[in-house]
Amino acid sequence: MLRKIRIPVQLGFLLLFLYLLIRTLGTGEDSLGSPVRIFLEIDPLVGLTTWLRTGALHGLLALSGITILLSFLLGRFFCGWVCPLGTLSQITARIARPRREERTSDSWRPSQRWKYLVLGAVVAGSLAGSLWTGLLDPLCLLIRSLTVGFAPPLERILRGGAALLASGPLGTLSEPAYRWLRDNTLAPRAPSYEQSALMASILLLLLALSWVRRRFWCRVLCPLGALLGAVARVGTLRLRQSESACSGCTLCTFHCQGAADPDRMGGWRPSECFVCGNCTASCAREGLSFGFGRPRLSAIFPSDWVRRTKPATTATIGGIEVGRRRLLIAIGIGAISGPIGRASPSRGQPPASLIRPPGAGTEYEFLDKCVRCGECMKVCPGNGLHPIALEAGPLALWTPALRFAHGYCEYHCTLCGQVCPTGAIPLLSQREKERTVVGLAYVDVPLCLPYAYATPCIVCEEHCPTSPKAITLVEAEVRGFDGAQKSVRQPRVDPHLCVGCGICEYRCPVEGDAAIRVYATGRTGEGGPFDFSLSRAAPRGRETEEIA
């Protein structure tokens, strides 16, 4: 019965996750009608580690406490019923392994302790100053991989297929369907991201490991599963085993998703059980059933712990033995990663080419909150946000930054702040966003067509979105290659008005390095020669507008 309920619920959560991911889309409106970040907000690992790092829970992250409470009552139901990466791993394992080949030993193995060591390192890192959550949390990992690795090729295939069908006899049928998909599911223009192949490969590798061992990621590596397993270990859920009804067929073990050893009398492992119901469904004699009992607080505080005269030889997380030496090493790695990462020169003075999303604050503040989920990259209508590599140090790996060679920051858009689950990108009003400075544009005179070649070009001035325009054209007399004097209009950037949206750099017709480029100078130069923050807060022309 439990299994029959679980399967449609599990598929429903997967479809809901994919629907919300598709709806994380900038279509020209400055609001999203769906709660697209709800899966991240109920993620206890995201909530716990950001709270440890910042001392606060942003937005609805407090909902992750409900997941902890339900795990205390129902065990690791989140892994077996809700987690979309777990469902994909399960489907992958099912595709590759015919049913008859499942009748092999699939009991608990010591490698399943590794995930608790990963959890120890992540939590210690959060306390010490390095937020590794986004690299290993299953929801962040899945959203980022699907957004960066799979969405661009799928969109191109869809657009190309629609164009091919439209040119043939099926065009009258396919065109209405394509228009509906374009208006409801596709980005305004086909996105592309840096490191797209790497992100896709990582997800494919993790799913392929399920062919080596069923739900490898969930059993062995997932820190969220370890956190929920520690809670389930002391919770109230019980697997009731009838020794008299057991025939020793071990079918329950063959079908167990988490390798929780349901066939071992008194040896069932609640910290590994996904509550999938396969064991109870496979027992022909109805010798297994789930029920509830008192919390197993004795798992944390053994009754004889006071009477112990010898020091413990093992360390535990939630009563789960992981090995004291291994746990200390994991915690030490996590703890030392914080000071090392924060000592990187790029944290205090990031490179000028590194431009964070609007309102992101200092590099320290941003990296203390960003979980690298990729929601901001997915929703960006200008395709300006991309995951970075190691240019700002290892702690900034896969965090978002603006890349104006590939896209730009839409001047009126505030969507990245709306979808950020941790507040790393603050939610700004449209007016605040339009005044938020992320960088400053510079004209590269040796490359600019009017300056270097006396060739008319007004592209940057045409696309500048500020009002009044930050880029103006000034008449100048120059000498052409034929020696004749001619008049051309050359672009000038007003640093009081430029916010660094980057559309001038993106639209610049010069191939290779654009002739006008945006750098982060001005954002971090507080009090310096490039500090125009005071004048930018109320740019010329807007003061009169506001007074009126």
Side-chain angles (χ1 to χ4, degrees), residues 28-47:
E29 300 290 334
D30 195 38
S31 64
L32 298 169
S34 306
V36 296
R37 62 186 190 187
I38 188 66
F39 274 86
L40 293 168
E41 288 172 329
I42 63 172
D43 185 333
L45 187 63
V46 171

Side-chain angles (χ1 to χ4, degrees), residues 75-300:
R76 286 178 66 180
F77 81 100
F78 189 91
C79 304
W81 294 57
V82 180
C83 181
L85 182 55
T87 304
L88 291 176
S89 298
Q90 191 171 335
I91 293 172
T92 305
R94 171 64 68 180
I95 292 173
R97 298 184 64 185
R99 185 182 296 274
R100 58 187 176 83
E101 292 188 7
E102 291 183 359
R103 296 177 65 86
T104 58
S105 178
D106 196 12
S107 57
W108 181 87
R109 300 181 192 180
S111 60
Q112 292 181 223
R113 294 171 175 161
W114 295 353
K115 59 180 174 290
Y116 299 100
L117 303 178
V118 175
L119 174 64
V122 169
V123 172
S126 301
L127 289 169
S130 55
L131 192 63
W132 295 110
T133 310
L135 298 181
L136 300 167
D137 180 84
L139 297 176
C140 296
L141 189 154
L142 184 58
I143 293 173
R144 182 177 62 242
S145 299
L146 292 178
T147 296
V148 177
F150 288 91
L154 287 177
E155 285 219 9
R156 278 170 168 72
I157 291 172
L158 189 57
R159 291 172 192 269
L164 186 64
L165 289 174
S167 61
L170 297 177
T172 54
L173 298 176
S174 65
E175 194 58 20
Y178 172 69
R179 280 200 295 268
W180 183 88
L181 288 173
R182 182 195 60 194
D183 296 339
N184 294 279
T185 65
L186 299 184
R189 64 186 181 88
S192 61
Y193 298 97
E194 296 179 2
Q195 306 184 61
S196 180
L198 176 62
M199 298 292 179
S201 301
I202 290 174
L203 180 58
L204 290 176
L205 175 62
L206 293 179
L207 294 178
L209 286 173
S210 294
W211 297 341
V212 178
R213 193 176 179 201
R214 190 163 36 170
R215 295 192 68 160
F216 181 92
W217 167 262
C218 311
R219 293 184 183 182
V220 179
L221 296 176
C222 180
L224 175 58
L227 176 62
L228 298 178
V231 176
R233 178 74 175 82
V234 299
T236 60
L237 189 71
R238 300 280 189 277
L239 180 65
R240 293 171 179 157
Q241 301 159 301
S242 173
E243 190 167 1
S244 60
C246 181
S247 64
C249 67
T250 65
L251 269 176
C252 54
T253 299
F254 299 146
H255 294 288
C256 179
Q257 292 290 330
D261 292 344
D263 61 323
R264 293 179 54 195
M265 293 298 154
W268 171 67
R269 300 175 184 272
S271 57
E272 306 297 330
C273 178
F274 299 159
V275 205
C276 64
N278 286 353
C279 57
T280 56
S282 62
C283 185
R285 297 189 175 191
E286 299 182 351
L288 297 173
S289 63
F290 282 101
F292 297 95
R294 292 182 178 178
R296 286 177 290 257
L297 297 179
S298 59
I300 302 177

